Amino acid sequence: VVSSAFIGENGWARAVPSFARSESSIQQSITEITKLNSFAKENDIPLYLSIAPYKDYILEHVFPYHPASFRGPETKQEVLEGLDDTVQIIDNATYFKETFSNKELESMFYKTDHHWNYLGAYENYKNVIRNLREKHSDIPAALEENQLKKICVEGENISFLGSTNRS
């Protein structure tokens, strides 16, 4: 353990988990999504909830020290069960686990924090678009990777400069 992270022999880092589980934050999530869904229904707007893949779950094969107290999938399920059936779920975590090999999954996340990199974000984007197009054929297809332009953001007012945003 270094600071507030576990560092494995393989160089992967993960946050030391919080063993406390906040029922109030789970209920607050359900309440806020329900409010948004009520507004969407009143205005005849379909609501989609895209669930981002959680690194500790997606890469559990690189975390042999994964604590038994990890309750991410259980918490996700509790939130989903608390929602109205009209909230349409795009479960990217399940999609990632069922679609990509462990090696491919590792290429989609940073080793040193919980964020996915551009490839993980891009694969998530493609899955969201694919799901939306199943019900809304007027939505354009996802852009191909060669249609995207990668840039480094520069400037004096930039508050975040991650390791891949350095020239």
Side-chain angles (χ1 to χ4, degrees), residues 95 99 125-135 142:
Y95 169 76
T99 305
Y125 153 76
K126 289 193 317 186
N127 186 51
V128 168
I129 295 295
R130 183 181 58 77
N131 275 268
L132 292 174
R133 286 176 53 85
E134 287 175 3
K135 296 191 175 136

Side-chain angles (χ1 to χ4, degrees), residues 76-88:
K76 176 183 84 172
Q77 191 59 37
E78 188 175 338
V79 170
L80 295 180
E81 288 173 0
L83 299 177
D84 183 303
D85 288 343
T86 61
V87 177
Q88 298 173 66

Side-chain angles (χ1 to χ4, degrees), residues 12-82:
W12 284 92
R14 70 177 293 278
V16 173
S18 167
F19 295 100
R21 182 173 157 181
S22 171
E23 295 298 327
S24 64
S25 68
I26 292 170
Q27 189 54 52
Q28 182 179 1
S29 295
I30 293 169
T31 299
E32 294 304 319
I33 295 168
T34 299
K35 285 182 197 175
L36 182 59
N37 191 42
S38 293
F39 173 82
K41 284 196 282 188
E42 289 169 10
N43 291 282
D44 198 29
I45 301 168
L47 179 64
Y48 291 84
L49 176 61
S50 174
I51 302 171
Y54 187 64
K55 179 181 173 181
D56 286 12
Y57 171 69
I58 296 297
L59 299 180
E60 62 189 346
H61 64 278
V62 302
F63 298 121
Y65 44 85
H66 202 278
S69 64
F70 174 65
R71 299 192 49 194
E74 185 180 312
T75 300
K76 176 183 84 172
Q77 191 59 37
E78 188 175 338
V79 170
L80 295 180
E81 288 173 0

Side-chain angles (χ1 to χ4, degrees), residues 87-114:
V87 177
Q88 298 173 66
I89 306 301
I90 300 174
D91 187 351
N92 294 298
T94 300
Y95 169 76
F96 270 54
K97 292 279 272 194
E98 293 176 352
T99 305
F100 300 106
S101 70
N102 286 345
K103 184 174 176 128
E104 289 171 317
L105 290 170
E106 288 175 29
S107 73
M108 296 179 196
F109 287 86
Y110 292 110
K111 285 185 115 175
T112 56
D113 70 26
H114 67 279

